[in-house]
Amino acid sequence: PLTIVYEDEDILVVNKPADMPVHPSLGNYTNTLANGVAAYLETKGESCPFRCINRLDRDTSGALILAKNALSAAILSVQMRNRQISRTYLAVVEGIPRQSGTISAPISRAADSVIERRIDFENGESAITHYQLLEVKNNHSLLEIHLETGRTHQIRVHMASTGHPLAGDAVYGPKNCIKSLNGQCLHAKELGFVHPRTGEWMQFDSPLPPYFTEFLTRLRKEHRA
């Protein structure tokens, strides 16, 4: 089942849950967003290639844009390349970072892993992350994050490199960090772009998944206690 945020003849905006890959891959043949979108469109008698404009990691939830035709895909891809698509993330990290900051550190694939990324100043691709501290509770921090670039695992790698890994991140966080969580606390909260046909500015807000809000509530209660 998909959560459709917005749809017209050109675009589809969906709220992707955590633990759902965007594309099929080895071991993930039917449990992906691409499968879900194909099934959804089939029920409407529609069919089109899967054109995902902004991608999210498997364990990251939130708003995604899909183009339903080649023209929309081309226009939105240019916006993405020119950094004209606004993306705002919310994340809970361990510890207390500075009030705000910019992390500029290139990222590359780790040599011994097909999944893991790492900071690599010699061979990595440029990656820039901006963050703002919103709230501190029980030695965890709620951050608002904006990306200038969109590298795989960018937010996760950058925050871990500062000593503040994401809560629930099984790859870059402490090995026991997922025991008290049902998912990773990283969510694509807001998404803004110019509609490829009308030229209208479109802004969408994606609600936090239940496990994320429950974790925040627990942190606040523990802080008061």
Short mmCIF file of all heavy atoms in Angstrom, two decimals, residues 3 5 13-22 33 52 54-65 87-92 145 147 153 155-156 166-168 181-191 204-214 216:
data_model
loop_
_atom_site.label_atom_id
_atom_site.label_comp_id
_atom_site.label_asym_id
_atom_site.label_seq_id
_atom_site.Cartn_x
_atom_site.Cartn_y
_atom_site.Cartn_z
N THR A 3 1.13 5.59 0.33
CA THR A 3 0.52 6.82 0.81
C THR A 3 0.74 7.88 -0.24
O THR A 3 1.85 8.38 -0.41
CB THR A 3 1.13 7.26 2.15
OG1 THR A 3 0.96 6.23 3.12
CG2 THR A 3 0.46 8.54 2.65
N VAL A 5 0.51 11.44 -1.59
CA VAL A 5 0.39 12.80 -1.07
C VAL A 5 -0.27 13.72 -2.09
O VAL A 5 -1.10 14.57 -1.77
CB VAL A 5 1.78 13.35 -0.67
CG1 VAL A 5 1.67 14.78 -0.14
CG2 VAL A 5 2.43 12.45 0.37
N VAL A 13 3.48 12.36 -5.97
CA VAL A 13 4.25 12.56 -4.75
C VAL A 13 3.78 11.53 -3.73
O VAL A 13 2.59 11.45 -3.43
CB VAL A 13 4.09 13.99 -4.19
CG1 VAL A 13 4.90 14.17 -2.90
CG2 VAL A 13 4.52 15.03 -5.22
N VAL A 14 4.71 10.73 -3.23
CA VAL A 14 4.36 9.68 -2.29
C VAL A 14 5.15 9.85 -1.00
O VAL A 14 6.21 10.48 -0.98
CB VAL A 14 4.64 8.27 -2.87
CG1 VAL A 14 3.84 8.07 -4.15
CG2 VAL A 14 6.12 8.06 -3.13
N ASN A 15 4.61 9.29 0.08
CA ASN A 15 5.30 9.28 1.37
C ASN A 15 5.87 7.88 1.55
O ASN A 15 5.15 6.94 1.90
CB ASN A 15 4.32 9.63 2.49
CG ASN A 15 5.01 9.75 3.83
OD1 ASN A 15 6.22 9.89 3.91
ND2 ASN A 15 4.23 9.72 4.90
N LYS A 16 7.17 7.72 1.29
CA LYS A 16 7.80 6.40 1.38
C LYS A 16 8.01 6.01 2.83
O LYS A 16 8.55 6.78 3.62
CB LYS A 16 9.14 6.40 0.66
CG LYS A 16 9.79 5.01 0.58
CD LYS A 16 11.19 5.08 0.01
CE LYS A 16 12.25 5.32 1.06
NZ LYS A 16 12.41 4.20 2.03
N PRO A 17 7.62 4.79 3.21
CA PRO A 17 7.90 4.34 4.58
C PRO A 17 9.36 3.92 4.72
O PRO A 17 10.06 3.68 3.73
CB PRO A 17 6.97 3.14 4.74
CG PRO A 17 6.79 2.61 3.35
CD PRO A 17 6.84 3.81 2.44
N ALA A 18 9.82 3.83 5.95
CA ALA A 18 11.14 3.27 6.21
C ALA A 18 11.13 1.78 5.88
O ALA A 18 10.07 1.16 5.81
CB ALA A 18 11.52 3.49 7.67
N ASP A 19 12.30 1.22 5.67
CA ASP A 19 12.48 -0.19 5.34
C ASP A 19 11.82 -0.56 4.01
O ASP A 19 11.30 -1.66 3.86
CB ASP A 19 11.97 -1.09 6.47
CG ASP A 19 12.48 -2.53 6.33
OD1 ASP A 19 13.59 -2.71 5.78
OD2 ASP A 19 11.77 -3.46 6.74
N MET A 20 11.84 0.36 3.07
CA MET A 20 11.37 0.06 1.72
C MET A 20 12.40 0.58 0.72
O MET A 20 12.61 1.78 0.61
CB MET A 20 10.02 0.71 1.42
CG MET A 20 9.56 0.51 -0.02
SD MET A 20 8.02 1.38 -0.45
CE MET A 20 6.82 0.22 0.21
N PRO A 21 13.06 -0.31 -0.03
CA PRO A 21 13.99 0.15 -1.07
C PRO A 21 13.22 0.89 -2.17
O PRO A 21 12.05 0.59 -2.42
CB PRO A 21 14.60 -1.15 -1.61
CG PRO A 21 14.27 -2.20 -0.60
CD PRO A 21 13.01 -1.77 0.05
N VAL A 22 13.89 1.82 -2.82
CA VAL A 22 13.24 2.55 -3.92
C VAL A 22 13.22 1.69 -5.18
O VAL A 22 12.20 1.62 -5.87
CB VAL A 22 13.96 3.89 -4.18
CG1 VAL A 22 13.43 4.55 -5.45
CG2 VAL A 22 13.75 4.83 -2.99
N LEU A 33 9.53 0.44 -3.70
CA LEU A 33 8.62 1.51 -4.10
C LEU A 33 8.24 1.39 -5.57
O LEU A 33 7.10 1.63 -5.95
CB LEU A 33 9.28 2.87 -3.84
CG LEU A 33 8.42 4.09 -4.15
CD1 LEU A 33 7.22 4.16 -3.22
CD2 LEU A 33 9.23 5.37 -4.06
N CYS A 52 11.93 8.15 -10.70
CA CYS A 52 12.05 8.74 -9.38
C CYS A 52 13.03 9.91 -9.44
O CYS A 52 14.18 9.73 -9.85
CB CYS A 52 12.52 7.68 -8.39
SG CYS A 52 12.47 8.21 -6.69
N ASN A 54 13.86 12.39 -6.79
CA ASN A 54 14.73 12.45 -5.59
C ASN A 54 14.66 11.10 -4.89
O ASN A 54 13.60 10.53 -4.69
CB ASN A 54 14.29 13.56 -4.64
CG ASN A 54 12.90 13.33 -4.07
OD1 ASN A 54 11.96 13.02 -4.80
ND2 ASN A 54 12.74 13.48 -2.77
N ARG A 55 15.80 10.55 -4.57
CA ARG A 55 15.85 9.21 -3.98
C ARG A 55 16.12 9.27 -2.49
O ARG A 55 16.76 10.19 -2.01
CB ARG A 55 16.93 8.37 -4.68
CG ARG A 55 16.64 8.10 -6.14
CD ARG A 55 17.78 7.35 -6.80
NE ARG A 55 17.46 6.98 -8.17
CZ ARG A 55 17.59 7.77 -9.22
NH1 ARG A 55 18.05 9.01 -9.04
NH2 ARG A 55 17.27 7.38 -10.43
N LEU A 56 15.62 8.26 -1.80
CA LEU A 56 15.85 8.12 -0.36
C LEU A 56 16.43 6.74 -0.09
O LEU A 56 16.11 5.77 -0.78
CB LEU A 56 14.54 8.29 0.42
CG LEU A 56 13.84 9.64 0.35
CD1 LEU A 56 12.51 9.58 1.09
CD2 LEU A 56 14.71 10.75 0.92
N ASP A 57 17.28 6.65 0.95
CA ASP A 57 17.79 5.36 1.37
C ASP A 57 16.63 4.45 1.78
O ASP A 57 15.55 4.92 2.15
CB ASP A 57 18.72 5.51 2.58
CG ASP A 57 19.96 6.33 2.28
OD1 ASP A 57 20.29 6.48 1.09
OD2 ASP A 57 20.58 6.81 3.24
N ARG A 58 16.90 3.16 1.78
CA ARG A 58 15.89 2.18 2.20
C ARG A 58 15.31 2.53 3.57
O ARG A 58 14.09 2.45 3.79
CB ARG A 58 16.51 0.78 2.24
CG ARG A 58 15.58 -0.27 2.82
CD ARG A 58 16.20 -1.65 2.82
NE ARG A 58 15.25 -2.62 3.34
CZ ARG A 58 15.14 -3.86 2.90
NH1 ARG A 58 15.93 -4.30 1.94
NH2 ARG A 58 14.24 -4.68 3.42
N ASP A 59 16.16 2.90 4.52
CA ASP A 59 15.72 3.13 5.89
C ASP A 59 15.30 4.56 6.17
O ASP A 59 15.01 4.90 7.32
CB ASP A 59 16.83 2.72 6.86
CG ASP A 59 17.11 1.23 6.81
OD1 ASP A 59 16.15 0.46 6.65
OD2 ASP A 59 18.29 0.84 6.91
N THR A 60 15.26 5.40 5.15
CA THR A 60 14.82 6.79 5.30
C THR A 60 13.40 6.93 4.78
O THR A 60 13.08 6.47 3.69
CB THR A 60 15.74 7.76 4.53
OG1 THR A 60 17.08 7.60 4.99
CG2 THR A 60 15.30 9.20 4.73
N SER A 61 12.54 7.53 5.58
CA SER A 61 11.14 7.74 5.19
C SER A 61 10.94 9.15 4.66
O SER A 61 11.79 10.02 4.82
CB SER A 61 10.22 7.49 6.39
OG SER A 61 10.60 8.36 7.47
N GLY A 62 9.78 9.37 4.01
CA GLY A 62 9.43 10.73 3.62
C GLY A 62 9.02 10.91 2.18
O GLY A 62 8.78 9.94 1.45
N ALA A 63 8.95 12.18 1.77
CA ALA A 63 8.35 12.57 0.50
C ALA A 63 9.28 12.35 -0.69
O ALA A 63 10.46 12.72 -0.65
CB ALA A 63 7.93 14.04 0.55
N LEU A 64 8.73 11.76 -1.75
CA LEU A 64 9.44 11.51 -3.00
C LEU A 64 8.59 11.98 -4.18
O LEU A 64 7.37 11.83 -4.17
CB LEU A 64 9.71 10.01 -3.17
CG LEU A 64 10.90 9.39 -2.44
CD1 LEU A 64 10.81 7.89 -2.50
CD2 LEU A 64 12.20 9.85 -3.08
N ILE A 65 9.25 12.53 -5.21
CA ILE A 65 8.56 12.92 -6.45
C ILE A 65 8.81 11.88 -7.52
O ILE A 65 9.95 11.47 -7.74
CB ILE A 65 9.08 14.25 -7.04
CG1 ILE A 65 9.48 15.24 -5.97
CG2 ILE A 65 8.06 14.85 -7.99
CD1 ILE A 65 10.29 16.39 -6.51
N ARG A 87 14.54 20.49 -0.13
CA ARG A 87 14.34 19.29 0.67
C ARG A 87 14.72 19.57 2.12
O ARG A 87 15.84 20.01 2.40
CB ARG A 87 15.19 18.13 0.14
CG ARG A 87 14.81 17.67 -1.26
CD ARG A 87 15.88 16.75 -1.83
NE ARG A 87 17.11 17.48 -2.15
CZ ARG A 87 18.28 16.91 -2.40
NH1 ARG A 87 18.40 15.60 -2.32
NH2 ARG A 87 19.33 17.64 -2.70
N THR A 88 13.80 19.35 3.03
CA THR A 88 14.04 19.55 4.45
C THR A 88 13.86 18.23 5.17
O THR A 88 12.82 17.59 5.05
CB THR A 88 13.08 20.60 5.04
OG1 THR A 88 13.26 21.84 4.35
CG2 THR A 88 13.35 20.81 6.52
N TYR A 89 14.89 17.84 5.91
CA TYR A 89 14.85 16.58 6.65
C TYR A 89 14.80 16.87 8.15
O TYR A 89 15.31 17.88 8.62
CB TYR A 89 16.10 15.75 6.38
CG TYR A 89 16.25 15.26 4.96
CD1 TYR A 89 16.72 16.10 3.95
CD2 TYR A 89 15.95 13.94 4.63
CE1 TYR A 89 16.87 15.65 2.66
CE2 TYR A 89 16.10 13.48 3.33
CZ TYR A 89 16.57 14.34 2.35
OH TYR A 89 16.71 13.89 1.06
N LEU A 90 14.19 15.95 8.89
CA LEU A 90 14.28 15.95 10.34
C LEU A 90 15.04 14.69 10.76
O LEU A 90 14.83 13.61 10.19
CB LEU A 90 12.90 15.95 11.00
CG LEU A 90 12.09 17.24 10.89
CD1 LEU A 90 10.77 17.09 11.65
CD2 LEU A 90 12.85 18.45 11.41
N ALA A 91 15.94 14.84 11.73
CA ALA A 91 16.72 13.71 12.19
C ALA A 91 16.93 13.81 13.70
O ALA A 91 17.05 14.92 14.24
CB ALA A 91 18.08 13.66 11.49
N VAL A 92 16.98 12.67 14.35
CA VAL A 92 17.40 12.62 15.75
C VAL A 92 18.79 12.01 15.77
O VAL A 92 19.02 10.94 15.20
CB VAL A 92 16.44 11.76 16.61
CG1 VAL A 92 17.00 11.63 18.03
CG2 VAL A 92 15.06 12.39 16.65
N ILE A 145 17.62 19.53 8.72
CA ILE A 145 18.76 19.36 7.82
C ILE A 145 18.38 19.72 6.40
O ILE A 145 17.31 19.36 5.91
CB ILE A 145 19.28 17.91 7.88
CG1 ILE A 145 19.79 17.60 9.30
CG2 ILE A 145 20.38 17.67 6.86
CD1 ILE A 145 20.21 16.16 9.50
N LEU A 147 20.11 19.80 2.36
CA LEU A 147 21.19 19.29 1.53
C LEU A 147 21.48 20.20 0.36
O LEU A 147 20.55 20.70 -0.28
CB LEU A 147 20.84 17.90 0.99
CG LEU A 147 20.60 16.79 2.02
CD1 LEU A 147 20.25 15.49 1.29
CD2 LEU A 147 21.82 16.60 2.89
N HIS A 153 23.63 8.04 1.36
CA HIS A 153 23.90 8.03 2.80
C HIS A 153 24.53 9.32 3.29
O HIS A 153 25.17 9.35 4.36
CB HIS A 153 24.83 6.86 3.18
CG HIS A 153 24.25 5.51 2.93
ND1 HIS A 153 24.92 4.34 3.26
CD2 HIS A 153 23.08 5.12 2.36
CE1 HIS A 153 24.18 3.30 2.91
NE2 HIS A 153 23.06 3.74 2.36
N ILE A 155 23.58 12.26 4.74
CA ILE A 155 23.30 12.76 6.08
C ILE A 155 23.85 11.80 7.13
O ILE A 155 24.47 12.22 8.11
CB ILE A 155 21.78 12.96 6.28
CG1 ILE A 155 21.28 14.10 5.37
CG2 ILE A 155 21.46 13.26 7.74
CD1 ILE A 155 19.77 14.27 5.37
N ARG A 156 23.67 10.52 6.90
CA ARG A 156 24.11 9.51 7.86
C ARG A 156 25.64 9.54 8.03
O ARG A 156 26.15 9.49 9.15
CB ARG A 156 23.63 8.14 7.40
CG ARG A 156 22.12 8.05 7.31
CD ARG A 156 21.67 6.83 6.52
NE ARG A 156 22.06 5.59 7.18
CZ ARG A 156 21.90 4.39 6.62
NH1 ARG A 156 21.40 4.29 5.39
NH2 ARG A 156 22.26 3.30 7.28
N LEU A 166 23.01 9.11 13.61
CA LEU A 166 21.56 9.07 13.70
C LEU A 166 21.10 7.99 14.66
O LEU A 166 21.65 6.88 14.67
CB LEU A 166 20.95 8.79 12.33
CG LEU A 166 20.57 10.00 11.48
CD1 LEU A 166 21.78 10.83 11.13
CD2 LEU A 166 19.85 9.55 10.22
N ALA A 167 20.09 8.31 15.45
CA ALA A 167 19.47 7.30 16.30
C ALA A 167 18.86 6.21 15.42
O ALA A 167 18.15 6.51 14.46
CB ALA A 167 18.39 7.93 17.17
N GLY A 168 19.17 4.97 15.72
CA GLY A 168 18.62 3.86 14.94
C GLY A 168 19.40 3.51 13.71
O GLY A 168 18.97 2.62 12.96
N LEU A 181 14.58 0.97 18.98
CA LEU A 181 13.89 1.67 17.90
C LEU A 181 13.41 0.69 16.84
O LEU A 181 14.01 -0.36 16.64
CB LEU A 181 14.84 2.69 17.24
CG LEU A 181 14.86 4.10 17.80
CD1 LEU A 181 16.02 4.88 17.22
CD2 LEU A 181 13.56 4.82 17.50
N ASN A 182 12.34 1.05 16.16
CA ASN A 182 11.83 0.23 15.06
C ASN A 182 12.25 0.78 13.71
O ASN A 182 11.75 0.33 12.68
CB ASN A 182 10.30 0.14 15.14
CG ASN A 182 9.84 -0.62 16.37
OD1 ASN A 182 10.43 -1.64 16.72
ND2 ASN A 182 8.81 -0.12 17.03
N GLY A 183 13.14 1.75 13.70
CA GLY A 183 13.58 2.33 12.44
C GLY A 183 14.62 3.41 12.69
O GLY A 183 14.96 3.73 13.83
N GLN A 184 15.13 3.94 11.62
CA GLN A 184 16.14 4.99 11.65
C GLN A 184 15.46 6.35 11.72
O GLN A 184 14.50 6.60 11.00
CB GLN A 184 16.96 4.88 10.38
CG GLN A 184 17.91 6.00 10.09
CD GLN A 184 18.62 5.77 8.78
OE1 GLN A 184 19.60 5.06 8.72
NE2 GLN A 184 18.10 6.35 7.71
N CYS A 185 15.96 7.23 12.59
CA CYS A 185 15.31 8.54 12.78
C CYS A 185 15.82 9.56 11.77
O CYS A 185 16.53 10.51 12.11
CB CYS A 185 15.51 9.03 14.20
SG CYS A 185 14.46 8.17 15.38
N LEU A 186 15.44 9.35 10.51
CA LEU A 186 15.73 10.31 9.45
C LEU A 186 14.52 10.34 8.52
O LEU A 186 14.12 9.30 7.98
CB LEU A 186 16.98 9.92 8.67
CG LEU A 186 17.35 10.83 7.49
CD1 LEU A 186 17.61 12.26 7.97
CD2 LEU A 186 18.57 10.29 6.75
N HIS A 187 13.94 11.52 8.34
CA HIS A 187 12.68 11.64 7.61
C HIS A 187 12.71 12.86 6.69
O HIS A 187 13.08 13.95 7.12
CB HIS A 187 11.52 11.77 8.60
CG HIS A 187 10.18 11.89 7.96
ND1 HIS A 187 9.54 10.82 7.35
CD2 HIS A 187 9.35 12.95 7.84
CE1 HIS A 187 8.37 11.22 6.89
NE2 HIS A 187 8.23 12.51 7.16
N ALA A 188 12.36 12.65 5.42
CA ALA A 188 12.25 13.76 4.46
C ALA A 188 10.92 14.47 4.69
O ALA A 188 9.89 14.08 4.16
CB ALA A 188 12.34 13.23 3.03
N LYS A 189 10.96 15.52 5.49
CA LYS A 189 9.73 16.15 6.02
C LYS A 189 9.06 17.06 5.00
O LYS A 189 7.84 17.03 4.84
CB LYS A 189 10.08 16.96 7.26
CG LYS A 189 8.88 17.54 8.00
CD LYS A 189 8.13 16.45 8.73
CE LYS A 189 7.08 16.99 9.69
NZ LYS A 189 5.99 17.72 9.04
N GLU A 190 9.83 17.91 4.32
CA GLU A 190 9.24 18.88 3.39
C GLU A 190 9.92 18.79 2.04
O GLU A 190 11.13 18.56 1.95
CB GLU A 190 9.36 20.30 3.95
CG GLU A 190 8.58 20.52 5.24
CD GLU A 190 8.77 21.93 5.79
OE1 GLU A 190 9.53 22.71 5.18
OE2 GLU A 190 8.18 22.22 6.84
N LEU A 191 9.11 18.99 1.01
CA LEU A 191 9.60 18.89 -0.37
C LEU A 191 8.96 20.01 -1.18
O LEU A 191 7.74 20.18 -1.16
CB LEU A 191 9.22 17.53 -0.94
CG LEU A 191 9.66 17.18 -2.36
CD1 LEU A 191 11.17 17.11 -2.44
CD2 LEU A 191 9.05 15.84 -2.77
N PHE A 204 5.09 20.36 -0.18
CA PHE A 204 4.43 19.24 0.46
C PHE A 204 5.09 18.94 1.80
O PHE A 204 6.31 19.06 1.96
CB PHE A 204 4.47 17.99 -0.43
CG PHE A 204 3.77 18.18 -1.74
CD1 PHE A 204 4.48 18.49 -2.89
CD2 PHE A 204 2.39 18.09 -1.82
CE1 PHE A 204 3.84 18.68 -4.10
CE2 PHE A 204 1.73 18.28 -3.02
CZ PHE A 204 2.45 18.58 -4.17
N ASP A 205 4.26 18.53 2.75
CA ASP A 205 4.72 18.18 4.09
C ASP A 205 4.38 16.72 4.35
O ASP A 205 3.24 16.30 4.16
CB ASP A 205 4.06 19.08 5.13
CG ASP A 205 4.56 18.80 6.53
OD1 ASP A 205 4.00 17.91 7.19
OD2 ASP A 205 5.52 19.45 6.97
N SER A 206 5.35 15.96 4.80
CA SER A 206 5.16 14.53 5.03
C SER A 206 5.20 14.25 6.53
O SER A 206 6.18 14.56 7.19
CB SER A 206 6.27 13.75 4.31
OG SER A 206 6.20 12.38 4.62
N PRO A 207 4.14 13.66 7.10
CA PRO A 207 4.12 13.42 8.55
C PRO A 207 5.17 12.41 8.98
O PRO A 207 5.50 11.48 8.24
CB PRO A 207 2.70 12.88 8.80
CG PRO A 207 2.26 12.33 7.48
CD PRO A 207 2.90 13.19 6.45
N LEU A 208 5.68 12.58 10.18
CA LEU A 208 6.66 11.65 10.72
C LEU A 208 6.04 10.27 10.91
O LEU A 208 4.87 10.15 11.28
CB LEU A 208 7.18 12.14 12.06
CG LEU A 208 8.11 13.37 12.06
CD1 LEU A 208 8.30 13.87 13.49
CD2 LEU A 208 9.45 13.04 11.43
N PRO A 209 6.82 9.21 10.69
CA PRO A 209 6.29 7.86 10.95
C PRO A 209 6.09 7.65 12.44
O PRO A 209 6.75 8.28 13.27
CB PRO A 209 7.38 6.95 10.38
CG PRO A 209 8.61 7.77 10.36
CD PRO A 209 8.18 9.19 10.14
N PRO A 210 5.17 6.75 12.81
CA PRO A 210 4.86 6.56 14.24
C PRO A 210 6.06 6.25 15.12
O PRO A 210 6.18 6.79 16.23
CB PRO A 210 3.87 5.38 14.21
CG PRO A 210 3.21 5.48 12.87
CD PRO A 210 4.29 5.96 11.94
N TYR A 211 6.98 5.39 14.67
CA TYR A 211 8.11 5.03 15.53
C TYR A 211 8.99 6.25 15.84
O TYR A 211 9.60 6.34 16.91
CB TYR A 211 8.95 3.91 14.90
CG TYR A 211 9.82 4.34 13.74
CD1 TYR A 211 11.09 4.88 13.95
CD2 TYR A 211 9.38 4.21 12.43
CE1 TYR A 211 11.88 5.27 12.89
CE2 TYR A 211 10.17 4.59 11.37
CZ TYR A 211 11.42 5.12 11.60
OH TYR A 211 12.20 5.53 10.55
N PHE A 212 9.06 7.19 14.87
CA PHE A 212 9.86 8.41 15.05
C PHE A 212 9.21 9.29 16.11
O PHE A 212 9.89 9.75 17.04
CB PHE A 212 9.94 9.13 13.70
CG PHE A 212 11.04 10.16 13.58
CD1 PHE A 212 11.85 10.19 12.46
CD2 PHE A 212 11.24 11.12 14.54
CE1 PHE A 212 12.86 11.13 12.31
CE2 PHE A 212 12.24 12.07 14.42
CZ PHE A 212 13.05 12.08 13.30
N THR A 213 7.92 9.54 15.98
CA THR A 213 7.22 10.39 16.96
C THR A 213 7.20 9.74 18.34
O THR A 213 7.32 10.43 19.36
CB THR A 213 5.79 10.69 16.50
OG1 THR A 213 5.09 9.46 16.26
CG2 THR A 213 5.77 11.49 15.23
N GLU A 214 7.07 8.41 18.39
CA GLU A 214 7.07 7.71 19.68
C GLU A 214 8.42 7.84 20.36
O GLU A 214 8.50 7.99 21.59
CB GLU A 214 6.71 6.24 19.47
CG GLU A 214 5.24 6.03 19.10
CD GLU A 214 4.96 4.64 18.55
OE1 GLU A 214 5.90 3.79 18.57
OE2 GLU A 214 3.84 4.39 18.09
N LEU A 216 10.58 10.34 19.94
CA LEU A 216 10.68 11.71 20.43
C LEU A 216 9.90 11.89 21.72
O LEU A 216 10.37 12.54 22.66
CB LEU A 216 10.15 12.67 19.36
CG LEU A 216 11.07 13.04 18.20
CD1 LEU A 216 10.33 13.89 17.18
CD2 LEU A 216 12.30 13.79 18.70
#
